[in-house]
Amino acid sequence: MAMTRLPAFPLITVDPSFTIWSPADKLYDANTVLWCNTEKKLLGKLFVNGKAYRFMGLGDEEIIPQVDVKVEPLKTTYTFENDEVKLVCDFYSAGAIDDLYLVSAPAGYFDYKVINKTEEAKDIKLIFTMDKGLCFDKVPQDIIEYECKETAGLITKGMGVKDQKPLSTTGDLVGAEWGVYYLTAENVTYVEGVGLVSVHEAKLEAESEIAFSDILSSDDIVSIEYLGQQLKALWTEKWADIFEVIAYYINNKECLKESVAFWNEKILTDGAKYGEDYKFLLSAAFRQVMAAHKLVRNNKGKILFLSKECKSNGCINTVDVSYPSSPLFFCYNPVLAEGLMNGIFEFSNLPVWACDYAPHDLGQYPVADGQVYALKRAYDDWNTRHSIYAMEDGTDVYHYSGQMPVEECGNMIIMAYVYALTSGNKDFLKENYATLKKWADYLVSCGNNLEYQLCTDDFAGRLAQNINLAIKSVMGQASFAKILEMLSEDGSFYMEEAKKNAEDIIARGTFEGRLALSFEKLDSWSMKYNMAWDKMLGFNLFGDAGAKEIEYYKTVENKYGLPLDCRKDYTKSDWIIWSSVLDETGEATKAYAYKMRKVLEETEGRVPFSDWYSTIDAKDVNFAHRTVQGGMWMPVLRDKLLNK
């Protein structure tokens, strides 16, 4: 059986600043990198009777051949083998998505097992190196050794830049230049000019095996700036310092391994009805989605699960990134979905946000001091901090042409409703009632006469009268009607508006049995992924339109999948899977998953699971490591909602 092939393989996945990947089919064919391909070298060598074999990263040593690699949602396993020994390496974090502190914990395990294949005893030495380059972005800086500590017989040593300036840089394709990185093992040293090095040694008897382990961790000191507040990661609520996190990982390793196994099995079992290719997508997506966020709590006690819009513009907490990613969190921990919304609600109620529609973002990662999208010229240097959140009059801060009014209102209302359904938390709806109503009223006022405004489908250019956007508006109106019902209020007005607008979309937007891209160009088509909610949430406003859509898509697919719309051959993988649930049989999900797996196996790009790629040649157009791949769980969410 052929080895698993991904464009990039996850090794340690914590957050946007500490997530390291191997961008090669074999672990020794490239140096490891941050998600944006900045080198963050992790090096591994195995010595057998004094002879060196390289298994991780580039070098001059002879390799021990890689014979297998397996990727599960929470773990990557590599196997290397020659005539003398077999080496099995497991890379994983604790990863229990239902435990917020473990979601936040900034640590991961690198486990190694060496098996003697012969009848002769062998001297074994395994050396692992965390390169000093983990501590800075692209320009080398002075690195020093930080505090070391012994716990349960294991040594922890740290390294970081000499001059610590937390949150000193913002941007997209950048790493952090603050924080301390730690390595924990039986024997760890800090080597000046190199980094942290662990050495494992043992006498391996005939036909026996030996296990070694490293724990990699980091403390970023301050994680997020949020509306002027300096916030630490959520894990600091449970553990006093990084050494307590490390001790927890040491003392609870077997329990944490069982948790990893449990979640691997659960996630893959939930996706099993859609076939092996779909399960493959879930395995490729899970850690990427989780590590594209930072989990903190604001001074009002609210959870904030803040995304970075990776390889796009670096925005933090982008609403039209949260929306496609939300199915994963609705499936397994709705509190994280709440964390996608809390900050947006708080910012939208500040004086600076003088708009009757929802904002697009909260800033540029890791600084969430107010929306940076659509800033007027006086404020348009995103890297200059303007304390936008503190401005008392926002009427002169933003230009309307850069806003996404219908898009973000629809996204937020739908997410709020599905969150309440999956969590049972009606208090969240009560707390944000006035804002949700304002946004619902905005959607009603727009109707289907949607002007030339920005939306998330504008990869091939903006257009007015976007039918998929109109469908999102309808889903938002219907969702608010259901929100009112959950609060024992009358939602009939909003449901009637939704019904009226849906009927208008069908009447004016249908062309040869399908819905067009826009009302102004009927001889056209596009993915109607926003219609996915219609049957899932029991609205049934569009009748059999979804089934007709999915049938038509079969006629316009290419080798690597369904284009986003008729204007270009590229697509968005998250929206493909969302669209697949328009087919209630599940066959479309299976078919699209097969083609998407082919993309991952055959693309030339070496970036984490890109969501924007060509359906002709599988090349990624842009985007990598984005949380939107949480949309891979839309079929699973559909099943959970319909079976509730």
PDB file of all heavy atoms in Angstrom, residues 10-11 27 55-56 70 72 74-80 87-93 108-113 212-214 253 257 287:
ATOM      1  N   PRO A  10       1.705  17.653   9.290  1.00  0.00           N
ATOM      2  CA  PRO A  10       1.768  18.322  10.591  1.00  0.00           C
ATOM      3  C   PRO A  10       2.609  17.537  11.591  1.00  0.00           C
ATOM      4  O   PRO A  10       2.452  16.330  11.752  1.00  0.00           O
ATOM      5  CB  PRO A  10       0.301  18.372  11.022  1.00  0.00           C
ATOM      6  CG  PRO A  10      -0.339  17.195  10.337  1.00  0.00           C
ATOM      7  CD  PRO A  10       0.392  17.035   9.038  1.00  0.00           C
ATOM      8  N   LEU A  11       3.507  18.255  12.291  1.00  0.00           N
ATOM      9  CA  LEU A  11       4.341  17.639  13.318  1.00  0.00           C
ATOM     10  C   LEU A  11       3.963  18.151  14.699  1.00  0.00           C
ATOM     11  O   LEU A  11       3.638  17.376  15.585  1.00  0.00           O
ATOM     12  CB  LEU A  11       5.819  17.908  13.033  1.00  0.00           C
ATOM     13  CG  LEU A  11       6.334  17.416  11.671  1.00  0.00           C
ATOM     14  CD1 LEU A  11       7.821  17.714  11.529  1.00  0.00           C
ATOM     15  CD2 LEU A  11       6.074  15.921  11.493  1.00  0.00           C
ATOM     16  N   LEU A  27      10.326  12.615   5.433  1.00  0.00           N
ATOM     17  CA  LEU A  27      10.665  13.540   6.509  1.00  0.00           C
ATOM     18  C   LEU A  27      12.085  14.074   6.394  1.00  0.00           C
ATOM     19  O   LEU A  27      12.387  15.154   6.896  1.00  0.00           O
ATOM     20  CB  LEU A  27      10.447  12.838   7.860  1.00  0.00           C
ATOM     21  CG  LEU A  27      10.536  13.667   9.133  1.00  0.00           C
ATOM     22  CD1 LEU A  27       9.582  14.851   9.108  1.00  0.00           C
ATOM     23  CD2 LEU A  27      10.257  12.792  10.357  1.00  0.00           C
ATOM     24  N   PHE A  55      16.878  10.930   9.955  1.00  0.00           N
ATOM     25  CA  PHE A  55      15.476  10.614   9.689  1.00  0.00           C
ATOM     26  C   PHE A  55      14.595  11.864   9.620  1.00  0.00           C
ATOM     27  O   PHE A  55      13.455  11.793   9.150  1.00  0.00           O
ATOM     28  CB  PHE A  55      14.916   9.624  10.728  1.00  0.00           C
ATOM     29  CG  PHE A  55      14.844  10.151  12.135  1.00  0.00           C
ATOM     30  CD1 PHE A  55      13.711  10.823  12.590  1.00  0.00           C
ATOM     31  CD2 PHE A  55      15.897   9.952  13.017  1.00  0.00           C
ATOM     32  CE1 PHE A  55      13.630  11.288  13.888  1.00  0.00           C
ATOM     33  CE2 PHE A  55      15.829  10.415  14.326  1.00  0.00           C
ATOM     34  CZ  PHE A  55      14.692  11.095  14.760  1.00  0.00           C
ATOM     35  N   MET A  56      15.101  13.025  10.078  1.00  0.00           N
ATOM     36  CA  MET A  56      14.298  14.247  10.039  1.00  0.00           C
ATOM     37  C   MET A  56      15.185  15.422   9.646  1.00  0.00           C
ATOM     38  O   MET A  56      16.235  15.645  10.244  1.00  0.00           O
ATOM     39  CB  MET A  56      13.658  14.519  11.406  1.00  0.00           C
ATOM     40  CG  MET A  56      12.705  15.713  11.392  1.00  0.00           C
ATOM     41  SD  MET A  56      12.065  16.212  13.028  1.00  0.00           S
ATOM     42  CE  MET A  56      11.866  14.673  13.873  1.00  0.00           C
ATOM     43  N   LYS A  70       1.677   7.776   8.217  1.00  0.00           N
ATOM     44  CA  LYS A  70       0.228   7.709   8.435  1.00  0.00           C
ATOM     45  C   LYS A  70      -0.212   8.984   9.134  1.00  0.00           C
ATOM     46  O   LYS A  70       0.403   9.395  10.126  1.00  0.00           O
ATOM     47  CB  LYS A  70      -0.126   6.498   9.293  1.00  0.00           C
ATOM     48  CG  LYS A  70      -1.614   6.359   9.604  1.00  0.00           C
ATOM     49  CD  LYS A  70      -1.867   5.158  10.509  1.00  0.00           C
ATOM     50  CE  LYS A  70      -3.339   4.999  10.851  1.00  0.00           C
ATOM     51  NZ  LYS A  70      -3.570   3.866  11.783  1.00  0.00           N
ATOM     52  N   GLU A  72      -3.409  10.767  11.015  1.00  0.00           N
ATOM     53  CA  GLU A  72      -4.720  10.717  11.639  1.00  0.00           C
ATOM     54  C   GLU A  72      -5.092  12.136  12.056  1.00  0.00           C
ATOM     55  O   GLU A  72      -4.244  13.035  12.030  1.00  0.00           O
ATOM     56  CB  GLU A  72      -4.690   9.778  12.841  1.00  0.00           C
ATOM     57  CG  GLU A  72      -4.353   8.338  12.478  1.00  0.00           C
ATOM     58  CD  GLU A  72      -4.135   7.487  13.712  1.00  0.00           C
ATOM     59  OE1 GLU A  72      -3.039   7.576  14.297  1.00  0.00           O
ATOM     60  OE2 GLU A  72      -5.060   6.745  14.095  1.00  0.00           O
ATOM     61  N   LEU A  74      -5.330  13.609  14.841  1.00  0.00           N
ATOM     62  CA  LEU A  74      -4.535  14.176  15.927  1.00  0.00           C
ATOM     63  C   LEU A  74      -3.101  13.672  15.987  1.00  0.00           C
ATOM     64  O   LEU A  74      -2.358  14.049  16.897  1.00  0.00           O
ATOM     65  CB  LEU A  74      -5.205  13.890  17.281  1.00  0.00           C
ATOM     66  CG  LEU A  74      -6.384  14.779  17.671  1.00  0.00           C
ATOM     67  CD1 LEU A  74      -7.634  14.414  16.891  1.00  0.00           C
ATOM     68  CD2 LEU A  74      -6.659  14.713  19.163  1.00  0.00           C
ATOM     69  N   LYS A  75      -2.696  12.834  15.041  1.00  0.00           N
ATOM     70  CA  LYS A  75      -1.351  12.252  15.141  1.00  0.00           C
ATOM     71  C   LYS A  75      -0.786  11.939  13.763  1.00  0.00           C
ATOM     72  O   LYS A  75      -1.500  11.517  12.862  1.00  0.00           O
ATOM     73  CB  LYS A  75      -1.394  10.968  15.987  1.00  0.00           C
ATOM     74  CG  LYS A  75      -0.040  10.319  16.220  1.00  0.00           C
ATOM     75  CD  LYS A  75      -0.118   9.189  17.241  1.00  0.00           C
ATOM     76  CE  LYS A  75      -0.827   7.965  16.700  1.00  0.00           C
ATOM     77  NZ  LYS A  75      -0.740   6.818  17.624  1.00  0.00           N
ATOM     78  N   THR A  76       0.535  12.156  13.622  1.00  0.00           N
ATOM     79  CA  THR A  76       1.264  11.758  12.417  1.00  0.00           C
ATOM     80  C   THR A  76       2.306  10.733  12.824  1.00  0.00           C
ATOM     81  O   THR A  76       3.068  10.956  13.775  1.00  0.00           O
ATOM     82  CB  THR A  76       1.958  12.969  11.769  1.00  0.00           C
ATOM     83  OG1 THR A  76       0.977  13.956  11.432  1.00  0.00           O
ATOM     84  CG2 THR A  76       2.704  12.555  10.510  1.00  0.00           C
ATOM     85  N   THR A  77       2.345   9.610  12.111  1.00  0.00           N
ATOM     86  CA  THR A  77       3.271   8.526  12.427  1.00  0.00           C
ATOM     87  C   THR A  77       4.144   8.213  11.221  1.00  0.00           C
ATOM     88  O   THR A  77       3.637   7.896  10.144  1.00  0.00           O
ATOM     89  CB  THR A  77       2.517   7.253  12.851  1.00  0.00           C
ATOM     90  OG1 THR A  77       1.723   7.539  14.004  1.00  0.00           O
ATOM     91  CG2 THR A  77       3.494   6.131  13.173  1.00  0.00           C
ATOM     92  N   TYR A  78       5.453   8.315  11.410  1.00  0.00           N
ATOM     93  CA  TYR A  78       6.426   7.947  10.376  1.00  0.00           C
ATOM     94  C   TYR A  78       7.108   6.647  10.778  1.00  0.00           C
ATOM     95  O   TYR A  78       7.404   6.418  11.956  1.00  0.00           O
ATOM     96  CB  TYR A  78       7.508   9.021  10.245  1.00  0.00           C
ATOM     97  CG  TYR A  78       7.092  10.294   9.555  1.00  0.00           C
ATOM     98  CD1 TYR A  78       6.575  11.359  10.279  1.00  0.00           C
ATOM     99  CD2 TYR A  78       7.264  10.453   8.182  1.00  0.00           C
ATOM    100  CE1 TYR A  78       6.223  12.552   9.656  1.00  0.00           C
ATOM    101  CE2 TYR A  78       6.918  11.638   7.541  1.00  0.00           C
ATOM    102  CZ  TYR A  78       6.402  12.682   8.284  1.00  0.00           C
ATOM    103  OH  TYR A  78       6.058  13.856   7.663  1.00  0.00           O
ATOM    104  N   THR A  79       7.401   5.811   9.766  1.00  0.00           N
ATOM    105  CA  THR A  79       8.150   4.577  10.001  1.00  0.00           C
ATOM    106  C   THR A  79       9.358   4.546   9.068  1.00  0.00           C
ATOM    107  O   THR A  79       9.232   4.786   7.863  1.00  0.00           O
ATOM    108  CB  THR A  79       7.279   3.340   9.755  1.00  0.00           C
ATOM    109  OG1 THR A  79       6.118   3.406  10.593  1.00  0.00           O
ATOM    110  CG2 THR A  79       8.053   2.070  10.055  1.00  0.00           C
ATOM    111  N   PHE A  80      10.521   4.264   9.657  1.00  0.00           N
ATOM    112  CA  PHE A  80      11.780   4.156   8.917  1.00  0.00           C
ATOM    113  C   PHE A  80      12.359   2.769   9.181  1.00  0.00           C
ATOM    114  O   PHE A  80      12.194   2.220  10.270  1.00  0.00           O
ATOM    115  CB  PHE A  80      12.770   5.224   9.385  1.00  0.00           C
ATOM    116  CG  PHE A  80      12.212   6.620   9.369  1.00  0.00           C
ATOM    117  CD1 PHE A  80      11.500   7.113  10.468  1.00  0.00           C
ATOM    118  CD2 PHE A  80      12.392   7.446   8.278  1.00  0.00           C
ATOM    119  CE1 PHE A  80      10.991   8.399  10.471  1.00  0.00           C
ATOM    120  CE2 PHE A  80      11.877   8.726   8.268  1.00  0.00           C
ATOM    121  CZ  PHE A  80      11.174   9.207   9.357  1.00  0.00           C
ATOM    122  N   LEU A  87      12.516   2.263  13.017  1.00  0.00           N
ATOM    123  CA  LEU A  87      12.262   3.434  13.850  1.00  0.00           C
ATOM    124  C   LEU A  87      10.854   3.934  13.564  1.00  0.00           C
ATOM    125  O   LEU A  87      10.513   4.222  12.412  1.00  0.00           O
ATOM    126  CB  LEU A  87      13.284   4.540  13.546  1.00  0.00           C
ATOM    127  CG  LEU A  87      13.012   5.925  14.157  1.00  0.00           C
ATOM    128  CD1 LEU A  87      13.101   5.872  15.678  1.00  0.00           C
ATOM    129  CD2 LEU A  87      13.998   6.956  13.597  1.00  0.00           C
ATOM    130  N   VAL A  88      10.031   4.048  14.614  1.00  0.00           N
ATOM    131  CA  VAL A  88       8.669   4.556  14.484  1.00  0.00           C
ATOM    132  C   VAL A  88       8.576   5.856  15.284  1.00  0.00           C
ATOM    133  O   VAL A  88       8.908   5.885  16.479  1.00  0.00           O
ATOM    134  CB  VAL A  88       7.637   3.539  15.006  1.00  0.00           C
ATOM    135  CG1 VAL A  88       6.216   4.091  14.837  1.00  0.00           C
ATOM    136  CG2 VAL A  88       7.779   2.212  14.270  1.00  0.00           C
ATOM    137  N   CYS A  89       8.132   6.929  14.622  1.00  0.00           N
ATOM    138  CA  CYS A  89       8.040   8.246  15.255  1.00  0.00           C
ATOM    139  C   CYS A  89       6.597   8.718  15.258  1.00  0.00           C
ATOM    140  O   CYS A  89       5.963   8.799  14.201  1.00  0.00           O
ATOM    141  CB  CYS A  89       8.892   9.266  14.496  1.00  0.00           C
ATOM    142  SG  CYS A  89      10.630   8.843  14.357  1.00  0.00           S
ATOM    143  N   ASP A  90       6.083   9.046  16.435  1.00  0.00           N
ATOM    144  CA  ASP A  90       4.733   9.597  16.585  1.00  0.00           C
ATOM    145  C   ASP A  90       4.836  11.063  16.984  1.00  0.00           C
ATOM    146  O   ASP A  90       5.515  11.407  17.959  1.00  0.00           O
ATOM    147  CB  ASP A  90       3.951   8.848  17.670  1.00  0.00           C
ATOM    148  CG  ASP A  90       3.546   7.457  17.237  1.00  0.00           C
ATOM    149  OD1 ASP A  90       3.361   7.240  16.031  1.00  0.00           O
ATOM    150  OD2 ASP A  90       3.420   6.580  18.122  1.00  0.00           O
ATOM    151  N   PHE A  91       4.112  11.923  16.259  1.00  0.00           N
ATOM    152  CA  PHE A  91       4.082  13.351  16.548  1.00  0.00           C
ATOM    153  C   PHE A  91       2.640  13.741  16.854  1.00  0.00           C
ATOM    154  O   PHE A  91       1.760  13.599  16.002  1.00  0.00           O
ATOM    155  CB  PHE A  91       4.601  14.158  15.361  1.00  0.00           C
ATOM    156  CG  PHE A  91       5.988  13.751  14.911  1.00  0.00           C
ATOM    157  CD1 PHE A  91       6.181  13.098  13.705  1.00  0.00           C
ATOM    158  CD2 PHE A  91       7.082  14.025  15.702  1.00  0.00           C
ATOM    159  CE1 PHE A  91       7.442  12.733  13.291  1.00  0.00           C
ATOM    160  CE2 PHE A  91       8.363  13.663  15.295  1.00  0.00           C
ATOM    161  CZ  PHE A  91       8.549  13.005  14.083  1.00  0.00           C
ATOM    162  N   TYR A  92       2.397  14.259  18.062  1.00  0.00           N
ATOM    163  CA  TYR A  92       1.016  14.569  18.443  1.00  0.00           C
ATOM    164  C   TYR A  92       0.994  15.529  19.631  1.00  0.00           C
ATOM    165  O   TYR A  92       1.953  15.643  20.389  1.00  0.00           O
ATOM    166  CB  TYR A  92       0.242  13.292  18.792  1.00  0.00           C
ATOM    167  CG  TYR A  92       0.830  12.484  19.923  1.00  0.00           C
ATOM    168  CD1 TYR A  92       0.294  12.560  21.205  1.00  0.00           C
ATOM    169  CD2 TYR A  92       1.916  11.641  19.713  1.00  0.00           C
ATOM    170  CE1 TYR A  92       0.833  11.819  22.246  1.00  0.00           C
ATOM    171  CE2 TYR A  92       2.463  10.898  20.742  1.00  0.00           C
ATOM    172  CZ  TYR A  92       1.920  10.989  22.015  1.00  0.00           C
ATOM    173  OH  TYR A  92       2.461  10.262  23.037  1.00  0.00           O
ATOM    174  N   SER A  93      -0.131  16.231  19.763  1.00  0.00           N
ATOM    175  CA  SER A  93      -0.410  17.046  20.943  1.00  0.00           C
ATOM    176  C   SER A  93      -1.553  16.393  21.701  1.00  0.00           C
ATOM    177  O   SER A  93      -2.130  15.407  21.235  1.00  0.00           O
ATOM    178  CB  SER A  93      -0.767  18.473  20.529  1.00  0.00           C
ATOM    179  OG  SER A  93       0.300  19.081  19.835  1.00  0.00           O
ATOM    180  N   GLY A 108       3.621  19.551  22.729  1.00  0.00           N
ATOM    181  CA  GLY A 108       3.375  18.360  21.931  1.00  0.00           C
ATOM    182  C   GLY A 108       4.419  17.298  22.215  1.00  0.00           C
ATOM    183  O   GLY A 108       5.520  17.588  22.704  1.00  0.00           O
ATOM    184  N   TYR A 109       4.058  16.047  21.920  1.00  0.00           N
ATOM    185  CA  TYR A 109       4.956  14.907  22.120  1.00  0.00           C
ATOM    186  C   TYR A 109       5.623  14.509  20.805  1.00  0.00           C
ATOM    187  O   TYR A 109       4.977  14.470  19.751  1.00  0.00           O
ATOM    188  CB  TYR A 109       4.168  13.693  22.607  1.00  0.00           C
ATOM    189  CG  TYR A 109       3.531  13.815  23.965  1.00  0.00           C
ATOM    190  CD1 TYR A 109       2.154  14.013  24.088  1.00  0.00           C
ATOM    191  CD2 TYR A 109       4.280  13.686  25.129  1.00  0.00           C
ATOM    192  CE1 TYR A 109       1.546  14.090  25.327  1.00  0.00           C
ATOM    193  CE2 TYR A 109       3.676  13.766  26.379  1.00  0.00           C
ATOM    194  CZ  TYR A 109       2.313  13.968  26.473  1.00  0.00           C
ATOM    195  OH  TYR A 109       1.714  14.042  27.702  1.00  0.00           O
ATOM    196  N   PHE A 110       6.915  14.177  20.895  1.00  0.00           N
ATOM    197  CA  PHE A 110       7.627  13.483  19.827  1.00  0.00           C
ATOM    198  C   PHE A 110       8.091  12.162  20.434  1.00  0.00           C
ATOM    199  O   PHE A 110       9.034  12.128  21.225  1.00  0.00           O
ATOM    200  CB  PHE A 110       8.836  14.286  19.348  1.00  0.00           C
ATOM    201  CG  PHE A 110       8.513  15.392  18.374  1.00  0.00           C
ATOM    202  CD1 PHE A 110       7.263  15.991  18.341  1.00  0.00           C
ATOM    203  CD2 PHE A 110       9.466  15.838  17.475  1.00  0.00           C
ATOM    204  CE1 PHE A 110       6.966  17.007  17.445  1.00  0.00           C
ATOM    205  CE2 PHE A 110       9.192  16.855  16.571  1.00  0.00           C
ATOM    206  CZ  PHE A 110       7.946  17.443  16.552  1.00  0.00           C
ATOM    207  N   ASP A 111       7.407  11.077  20.092  1.00  0.00           N
ATOM    208  CA  ASP A 111       7.726   9.756  20.639  1.00  0.00           C
ATOM    209  C   ASP A 111       8.464   8.929  19.597  1.00  0.00           C
ATOM    210  O   ASP A 111       8.101   8.933  18.408  1.00  0.00           O
ATOM    211  CB  ASP A 111       6.449   9.015  21.034  1.00  0.00           C
ATOM    212  CG  ASP A 111       5.810   9.573  22.290  1.00  0.00           C
ATOM    213  OD1 ASP A 111       6.436  10.422  22.954  1.00  0.00           O
ATOM    214  OD2 ASP A 111       4.674   9.163  22.597  1.00  0.00           O
ATOM    215  N   TYR A 112       9.467   8.187  20.040  1.00  0.00           N
ATOM    216  CA  TYR A 112      10.264   7.360  19.141  1.00  0.00           C
ATOM    217  C   TYR A 112      10.318   5.936  19.698  1.00  0.00           C
ATOM    218  O   TYR A 112      10.486   5.739  20.906  1.00  0.00           O
ATOM    219  CB  TYR A 112      11.698   7.877  19.027  1.00  0.00           C
ATOM    220  CG  TYR A 112      11.829   9.380  18.989  1.00  0.00           C
ATOM    221  CD1 TYR A 112      12.113  10.093  20.166  1.00  0.00           C
ATOM    222  CD2 TYR A 112      11.692  10.090  17.810  1.00  0.00           C
ATOM    223  CE1 TYR A 112      12.253  11.467  20.159  1.00  0.00           C
ATOM    224  CE2 TYR A 112      11.836  11.465  17.785  1.00  0.00           C
ATOM    225  CZ  TYR A 112      12.116  12.161  18.962  1.00  0.00           C
ATOM    226  OH  TYR A 112      12.245  13.516  18.945  1.00  0.00           O
ATOM    227  N   LYS A 113      10.211   4.981  18.816  1.00  0.00           N
ATOM    228  CA  LYS A 113      10.386   3.571  19.201  1.00  0.00           C
ATOM    229  C   LYS A 113      11.394   2.951  18.245  1.00  0.00           C
ATOM    230  O   LYS A 113      11.217   3.016  17.026  1.00  0.00           O
ATOM    231  CB  LYS A 113       9.055   2.824  19.143  1.00  0.00           C
ATOM    232  CG  LYS A 113       9.162   1.357  19.554  1.00  0.00           C
ATOM    233  CD  LYS A 113       7.786   0.729  19.750  1.00  0.00           C
ATOM    234  CE  LYS A 113       7.000   0.670  18.462  1.00  0.00           C
ATOM    235  NZ  LYS A 113       5.697  -0.022  18.631  1.00  0.00           N
ATOM    236  N   PHE A 212      11.795   6.224  23.398  1.00  0.00           N
ATOM    237  CA  PHE A 212      12.285   7.524  23.858  1.00  0.00           C
ATOM    238  C   PHE A 212      11.188   8.553  23.624  1.00  0.00           C
ATOM    239  O   PHE A 212      10.266   8.334  22.834  1.00  0.00           O
ATOM    240  CB  PHE A 212      13.541   7.958  23.091  1.00  0.00           C
ATOM    241  CG  PHE A 212      14.640   6.949  23.042  1.00  0.00           C
ATOM    242  CD1 PHE A 212      15.121   6.489  21.819  1.00  0.00           C
ATOM    243  CD2 PHE A 212      15.223   6.475  24.202  1.00  0.00           C
ATOM    244  CE1 PHE A 212      16.149   5.573  21.756  1.00  0.00           C
ATOM    245  CE2 PHE A 212      16.263   5.557  24.157  1.00  0.00           C
ATOM    246  CZ  PHE A 212      16.724   5.090  22.926  1.00  0.00           C
ATOM    247  N   SER A 213      11.332   9.711  24.273  1.00  0.00           N
ATOM    248  CA  SER A 213      10.313  10.743  24.072  1.00  0.00           C
ATOM    249  C   SER A 213      10.889  12.133  24.317  1.00  0.00           C
ATOM    250  O   SER A 213      11.719  12.325  25.211  1.00  0.00           O
ATOM    251  CB  SER A 213       9.119  10.517  25.010  1.00  0.00           C
ATOM    252  OG  SER A 213       8.092  11.444  24.745  1.00  0.00           O
ATOM    253  N   ASP A 214      10.458  13.086  23.513  1.00  0.00           N
ATOM    254  CA  ASP A 214      10.715  14.507  23.735  1.00  0.00           C
ATOM    255  C   ASP A 214       9.378  15.214  23.893  1.00  0.00           C
ATOM    256  O   ASP A 214       8.385  14.833  23.254  1.00  0.00           O
ATOM    257  CB  ASP A 214      11.439  15.140  22.542  1.00  0.00           C
ATOM    258  CG  ASP A 214      12.864  14.647  22.380  1.00  0.00           C
ATOM    259  OD1 ASP A 214      13.582  14.594  23.388  1.00  0.00           O
ATOM    260  OD2 ASP A 214      13.250  14.310  21.237  1.00  0.00           O
ATOM    261  N   LYS A 253       0.784  11.290  30.632  1.00  0.00           N
ATOM    262  CA  LYS A 253       1.014  10.931  29.239  1.00  0.00           C
ATOM    263  C   LYS A 253       0.090   9.816  28.763  1.00  0.00           C
ATOM    264  O   LYS A 253      -0.482   9.894  27.670  1.00  0.00           O
ATOM    265  CB  LYS A 253       2.466  10.539  29.015  1.00  0.00           C
ATOM    266  CG  LYS A 253       2.769  10.230  27.544  1.00  0.00           C
ATOM    267  CD  LYS A 253       4.240   9.995  27.297  1.00  0.00           C
ATOM    268  CE  LYS A 253       4.490   9.769  25.819  1.00  0.00           C
ATOM    269  NZ  LYS A 253       5.919   9.555  25.507  1.00  0.00           N
ATOM    270  N   LYS A 257      -2.521  10.112  25.741  1.00  0.00           N
ATOM    271  CA  LYS A 257      -2.446   9.241  24.559  1.00  0.00           C
ATOM    272  C   LYS A 257      -3.795   8.565  24.307  1.00  0.00           C
ATOM    273  O   LYS A 257      -4.225   8.413  23.157  1.00  0.00           O
ATOM    274  CB  LYS A 257      -1.354   8.188  24.748  1.00  0.00           C
ATOM    275  CG  LYS A 257       0.057   8.738  24.606  1.00  0.00           C
ATOM    276  CD  LYS A 257       1.105   7.674  24.899  1.00  0.00           C
ATOM    277  CE  LYS A 257       1.143   6.600  23.835  1.00  0.00           C
ATOM    278  NZ  LYS A 257       2.272   5.658  24.059  1.00  0.00           N
ATOM    279  N   ARG A 287      -5.857  19.276  12.617  1.00  0.00           N
ATOM    280  CA  ARG A 287      -4.846  20.025  13.379  1.00  0.00           C
ATOM    281  C   ARG A 287      -4.590  21.400  12.772  1.00  0.00           C
ATOM    282  O   ARG A 287      -4.307  22.363  13.490  1.00  0.00           O
ATOM    283  CB  ARG A 287      -3.559  19.211  13.472  1.00  0.00           C
ATOM    284  CG  ARG A 287      -3.590  18.176  14.590  1.00  0.00           C
ATOM    285  CD  ARG A 287      -2.396  17.258  14.566  1.00  0.00           C
ATOM    286  NE  ARG A 287      -2.512  16.269  13.519  1.00  0.00           N
ATOM    287  CZ  ARG A 287      -1.550  15.427  13.173  1.00  0.00           C
ATOM    288  NH1 ARG A 287      -0.363  15.501  13.782  1.00  0.00           N
ATOM    289  NH2 ARG A 287      -1.741  14.543  12.223  1.00  0.00           N
TER     290      ARG A 287
END
